Structure formats: C-alpha cells, structure tokens
Amino acid sequence: MKTSVISTANTDQAAAQGAALIRAGGLVAFPTETVYGLGANGLDGRAVDRIFEAKGRPNDNPLILHVAENEAAFRLWAGEPPFARKLMDTFWPGPLTLIYYRSDIVPDEVTAGLDTVAVRMPDNAAARALIDASGVPIAAPSANLSGKPSPTTAAHVLQDMNGRIPLILDGGPCRYGVESTVLSLAGAPIILRPGAVTKEMLAAVLGEVALAPSILAPLAAGEKAASPGMKYKHYAPNAQVMVVVGAAEPAARRLCALYDGFTARGDRVRIAATEEALPFYGDRRCALLGTRKDPATLCSRLFALLRELDEEADVILCEGVGVEGTGLAFMNRLLRSAGFRVEYL
Ligand code: TXA
Ligand code: MG
C-alpha cells in the first residue's frame, strides 16, 4: 500500500480526503495538539480492528474516541458522568480524556470488552474538521508502532506506518508532545495517565483526584492495571534509556560517570540534558531537552529526541526531574521508555 502525506494547510480539502477514507472503513493518521493519532470510524468494529493490525497493538488495550462537539460525547456514554460538564467547559477542546460507562453504540473493539469508554475532543482544527467531515467519532491511538515513542511529527508517523496506511495528514509538529491526561469518572475520579492537564488543574475543579499507582512504578506482580495500556513496554527506542533523577549538578556528575563507563566499553552514548545541567557535561555528546523551570518544554521534546538519538546511540542517558505539574507526565513517559532503569539521587 502506498502511503500519501498531504498538508492540512487547506483544512477543508484535507478533511474531505481523510473523511472519505474513514467512511469507507479505512485508516487515516492525523495531527492533534498532543501526538499524531491513527484514526478509524469509531462506530465500526471492523474498521477499528485495522488500527490494531497496523500498529501491532495487543487487542486488549482499549482506544480513545475523538469527538468534535460535546453532544457527540454524551451519545457514547451511558448517562452523564459526574463533573463532566464542568470538566468539558474548562478543558475541552484540549488534552483531557474522560472515561465513563459506555453506551450501546460503542463497539467492543474500541473498549477491548470493558464496560467503560474513553472520549476526548482534540484542540486541533484539522483534527476536528476531519471528525466533522466524517460524521462519526474517530477511534485513535497514537500513530506509532506499538511500543515505540509516540509520533509528534508526520515524518515520525511515516517512519512507523509507511506502507501500512493510505494517508497521513501533516499538520506540523504537535504542541504538547505527550498524550492526553486520562481521567476516569467511573467511580471516584482517578488519573490513569498524566498529561498537560495536570493533577493540580483537575483538583481545582474536582476537589479530590487520585493518581493510579502505576504512573511512576512498574505494575507489581499480580496487580491489575487500571488502564490496560500501562502494562506494556512503552515509548521505547531501540537504544537503552537510563535515567538519573536529582538536582542539575549532581545528576549531571552521575551521568558523566555513566557516560564514561559506557564509552570505555565501546558503546555509542548520548545525553538528553536540561539547560540547567548543560555546563556540567564538558565535551560529552549532549542534546538539549528543555528547561527544568518549565517541564512542559521537556514533554514537548522527549519523544522526538528519543527518536533522533536512537539513530546514533546504543545508550541514551537522561536527566529526570520532580513530579510537580507537567513534571509528572514527563517522568511517566521517561521511566517507561527506560523500562524503569532509574537512579534517584
Ligand atoms: O493524546 C492522546 O490521548 C492521543 C491522541 C491521538 O489523542 N491518543 C492516545 O491513545 O494516546 P493511546 O491509545 O495511545 O492511549 C490511550 C490510553 C491507553 O493507555 C489505554 O489503555 C487507555 O487510554 N484507555 C482507553 N480506554 C480506556 C478505558 N475504557 N479504561 C481504561 N483505560 C483506557
Ligand atoms: Mg500510545
């Protein structure tokens, strides 16, 4: 299959071309404000199956349905989730996915047999135009091969999906660079995956909000994943990623020692550094992630940098930061990409 890439500069034309494929049961990769999604008609179980095939995704991992208006979300849920209107008014369109009990129109393929369904409205004009023109909710996971870092440009999507899907809509680099916050409202509110809508921002609306224990730790043996996506190896490049968490200078000193050790063994090593620590690495080979003062900068570069460094390194050494605000989303993705190889100083 030949994979075409077309720009979303002409929003309506791109949406019309994408929607024709979606309505015919096909797959279309499209930009969102978080990462690129791999979309199919979310009401058509056979179309949704093709997503799992193209990604090589285990089919017990449920998908998010993307909508372009609030009323479309309410048709997918069995009743109105607590807090939903307030959350939608505050954060939609935007990087917040809401989970609640599903209605009858949601196919089993989307929910992987669960009695709940995840829904979000992306803050991206090309994505919403595609959903509108399709006239159905669009089921979409991140548009990477299962296990790989999520794609934040159309070029990343092409790298993983060339020959596997007919069309990629190219809307340029994604604004946030990490996937949406996933919040379950089926029961007491709990964050299953952190994102750019932070725990602090949600607490301001909800009062209390819990964090799933698996956000910063591997699942314990026998523990059941609140979100099935948490149990798989994730976001991992081919290179081994290792993380050191601490203040800029001590973290850099420790990473320098690791760098020198791996280099002496003949490994090709790169450091993913924060601006604050850069002066401590001397002439070791570094790539800039962003600044500790604003972890959103670390989020927006992380996946792209892992893909770039993977081309030239056997080992990627990365600084970890605190988990306040968007630091939690950064550390959640980074620790998974490292398979939890981490030192806390
Ligand atoms: O920003 C995003 O959310 C991107 C863009 C494309 O919208 N999508 C995305 O989808 O990250 P995906 O499939 O890569 O991640 C969805 C996560 C998975 O961890 C999945 O297990 C979880 O949401 N999930 C989906 N439905 C669920 C449900 N009913 N109950 C619990 N977890 C669910
Ligand atoms: Mg994903």
Side-chain angles (χ1 to χ4, degrees):
M1 179 184 302
K2 184 181 170 332
T3 303
S4 316
V5 182
I6 65 170
S7 162
T8 61
N10 186 333
T11 310
D12 292 342
Q13 195 191 321
Q17 217 171 311
L21 278 163
I22 297 282
R23 282 196 304 266
L27 302 184
V28 177
F30 62 97
T32 81
E33 79 283 29
T34 57
V35 302
Y36 275 74
L38 180 58
N41 179 347
L43 300 181
D44 175 352
R46 287 188 47 207
V48 170
D49 271 339
R50 296 195 181 101
I51 296 177
F52 289 90
E53 260 167 54
K55 277 182 66 97
R57 177 172 171 124
N59 55 15
D60 62 346
N61 192 3
L63 303 178
I64 297 170
L65 291 178
H66 295 69
V67 297
E69 47 169 36
N70 288 0
E71 291 320 304
F74 289 115
R75 287 194 286 275
L76 301 168
W77 289 317
E80 190 171 313
F83 305 106
R85 298 245 176 221
K86 186 78 200 294
L87 290 166
M88 290 152 91
D89 286 348
T90 312
F91 299 111
W92 279 15
L96 176 64
T97 294
L98 299 176
I99 292 179
Y100 193 61
Y101 300 102
R102 65 195 254 199
S103 73
D104 295 341
I105 64 170
V106 178
D108 285 336
E109 288 81 356
V110 169
T111 66
L114 296 177
D115 60 355
T116 55
V117 65
V119 184
R120 89 175 190 98
M121 187 191 295
D123 186 13
N124 178 292
R128 288 204 308 278
L130 174 68
I131 299 163
D132 259 337
S134 303
V136 290
I138 294 188
S142 48
N144 50 284
L145 286 176
S146 190
K148 293 291 158 200
S150 298
T152 60
T153 66
H156 297 159
V157 180
L158 192 63
Q159 214 172 39
D160 282 15
M161 291 295 153
N162 197 6
R164 293 171 175 260
I165 60 174
L167 182 64
I168 300 172
L169 303 183
D170 181 355
C174 301
R175 172 168 162 211
Y176 294 109
V178 292
E179 306 86 344
S180 61
T181 304
V182 176
L183 176 70
S184 175
L185 298 171
I190 179 169
I191 297 172
L192 304 182
R193 180 176 73 185
V197 172
T198 62
K199 179 177 199 283
E200 294 83 346
M201 289 157 74
L202 289 171
V205 174
L206 299 170
E208 287 283 293
V209 57
L211 283 178
S214 54
I215 284 177
L216 290 174
L219 283 178
E223 187 185 343
K224 191 170 169 294
S227 183
M230 290 291 193
K231 69 186 181 205
Y232 302 107
K233 182 174 179 219
H234 230 128
Y235 313 125
N238 294 316
Q240 174 61 56
V241 179
M242 292 178 67
V243 183
V244 174
V245 186
E249 182 167 359
R253 301 260 176 252
R254 175 66 186 135
L255 287 167
C256 286
L258 289 169
Y259 183 106
D260 296 345
F262 283 112
T263 307
R265 268 182 28 183
D267 285 329
R268 298 169 306 157
V269 193
R270 295 290 182 277
I271 298 169
T274 64
E275 203 174 287
E276 289 76 7
L278 262 189
F280 305 114
Y281 291 116
D283 57 9
R284 294 173 186 84
R285 299 191 64 166
C286 297
L288 182 63
L289 250 178
T291 170
R292 287 170 179 250
K293 292 189 205 85
D294 181 7
T297 62
L298 310 176
C299 288
S300 76
R301 272 295 282 155
L302 178 65
F303 289 144
L305 199 61
L306 290 177
R307 280 182 184 259
E308 284 163 31
L309 295 180
D310 206 25
E311 302 283 310
E312 51 190 43
D314 306 305
V315 179
I316 300 172
L317 302 174
C318 189
E319 292 168 41
V321 301
V323 295
E324 300 75 36
T326 48
L328 185 62
F330 173 70
M331 289 304 295
N332 169 267
R333 306 313 191 276
L334 179 61
L335 292 178
R336 278 181 172 65
S337 73
F340 294 95
R341 286 190 68 175
V342 55
E343 286 179 28
Y344 292 90
L345 298 182

